[in-house]
Amino acid sequence: IHDPSVSADRLVIDSTGTVGIGTTFPASSAQLEVNSTTKGLLPPRMTETQRDGISSPAAGLLIFQTDGIPGYYYYSGTDWIGITGDGPGAISASSVIDCDGNTYPTITIGNQVWMAENLRVTHYKNGDAIPRVWDAATWEGLSTGAWCSYRNLQSNFETYGALYNWYAVDDSRGLCPEGWRVPTAFEIITLADYLGGTSVAGGKMKATSDLWNSPNTDATNSSSFSGLPGGFCTWLFSFDAKGIGGYWWSSVGYSSTQAWFWNLYSGDGDVVLTQFEKRGGFSVRCLRD
């Protein structure tokens, strides 16, 4: 479209079908080039509900979400993923490596930076081994750090990470990588509050994976926390709730025998913070210092 009143064409479509806006000669490697030093490119703006109402979104579809955790989101083919720089809900380009050499992606939510996967380290920061326990007789009697995998299966360890007793969390040698820590109960509440409160934050933190039992109520993973239902181990070394709930320790003790933990359930969108026996086995997510 040529306007003789301006010195440059407003829109050009060349012989290959390449479209240029604000440029007469769009780059040959681009299907669309927008050239301006005074204006930006504005994608569709919508609420989270409107975004989730898009029928059969194409992989790579980009929108700007105006509520919830505002920012740019793209559809990965299975989930909407936040991509806003270092802002809330953004997937960080960085990662962290534990002392076993395991690499974890990180996620920025508000002013907090979290691991986006459960911890699976088997050594403390100083290199000392965290004992793996395979039997009830040993597990029940512990007052020192240890870990197990759900029903002792390696496949569960690989999918959901390790289940640590709280003594491993509380060990001065450190469970998380350098510069990271197990969150306090207050920091967990801060996370939930940022995501809209404990009655809705769980849905924004649960992965939409079919590892969750149906119905995975309110699950959107809009925070990209990607919480999975790894279940837990009791102090009697029995296992429960895989597919139903995810359970994570806090760093805060409640009494001589119990400590604070938090969990997500398949049946609602809540974040629940409560106490459990320290000899139990839960997952761990680390928070950056």
Side-chain angles (χ1 to χ4, degrees):
I1 300 173
H2 180 71
D3 186 342
S5 67
V6 296
S7 59
D9 290 332
R10 293 178 177 175
L11 186 148
V12 170
I13 303 176
D14 70 13
S15 60
T16 68
T18 297
V19 178
I21 299 176
T23 177
T24 305
F25 302 103
S28 61
S29 61
Q31 188 63 45
L32 169 67
E33 179 180 352
V34 180
N35 183 31
S36 177
T37 58
T38 59
K39 297 180 180 180
L41 180 67
L42 191 62
R45 293 157 290 172
M46 63 190 71
T47 66
E48 183 176 351
T49 298
Q50 291 169 330
R51 181 203 74 185
D52 293 341
I54 296 174
S55 178
S56 301
L61 192 68
L62 179 71
I63 63 98
F64 183 88
Q65 184 175 304
T66 57
D67 66 351
I69 303 175
Y72 290 98
Y73 288 77
Y74 75 93
Y75 192 69
S76 68
T78 55
D79 299 301
W80 286 99
I81 307 296
I83 57 172
T84 310
D86 292 327
I91 290 185
S92 171
S94 64
S95 59
V96 60
I97 302 174
D98 67 27
C99 63
D100 288 347
N102 300 307
T103 300
Y104 307 86
T106 65
I107 181 72
T108 302
I109 305 175
N111 294 320
Q112 297 175 323
V113 181
W114 292 84
M115 285 183 175
E117 294 176 356
N118 292 344
L119 194 67
R120 52 188 183 273
V121 72
T122 61
H123 294 79
Y124 295 109
K125 270 191 302 193
N126 69 350
D128 291 347
I130 307 167
R132 182 173 188 173
V133 175
W134 299 87
D135 63 280
T138 303
W139 185 264
E140 291 175 38
L142 285 173
S143 58
T144 55
W147 70 277
C148 63
S149 62
Y150 193 92
R151 299 197 186 283
N152 284 338
L153 295 177
Q154 183 66 18
S155 59
N156 287 328
F157 172 72
E158 292 169 358
T159 301
Y160 301 104
L163 298 176
Y164 302 93
N165 65 16
W166 191 78
Y167 302 111
V169 171
D170 194 46
D171 195 289
S172 61
R173 289 171 288 184
L175 196 58
C176 294
E178 192 67 42
W180 294 73
R181 64 180 183 276
V182 179
T184 65
F186 176 77
E187 288 166 333
I188 294 161
I189 292 297
T190 298
L191 169 64
D193 285 347
Y194 186 82
L195 294 176
T198 55
S199 64
V200 297
K204 297 176 181 180
M205 295 167 64
K206 289 191 294 182
T208 56
S209 166
D210 59 9
L211 292 172
W212 283 95
N213 287 1
S214 180
N216 189 9
T217 304
D218 296 332
T220 65
N221 199 31
S222 60
S223 70
S224 298
F225 186 84
S226 301
L228 293 177
F232 67 96
C233 177
T234 72
W235 59 93
L236 298 175
F237 207 64
S238 60
F239 298 90
D240 196 13
K242 185 169 76 73
I244 298 172
Y247 302 79
W248 294 269
W249 282 122
S250 84
S251 62
V252 181
Y254 175 74
S255 68
S256 61
T257 59
Q258 294 187 324
W260 289 97
F261 78 97
W262 50 295
N263 63 276
L264 310 175
Y265 286 116
S266 61
D268 60 43
D270 296 353
V271 173
V272 177
L273 184 67
T274 187
Q275 314 89 33
F276 197 75
E277 165 69 50
K278 293 177 179 179
R279 290 179 294 168
F282 290 156
S283 302
V284 167
R285 284 289 185 100
C286 299
L287 176 68
R288 192 168 71 185
D289 290 339

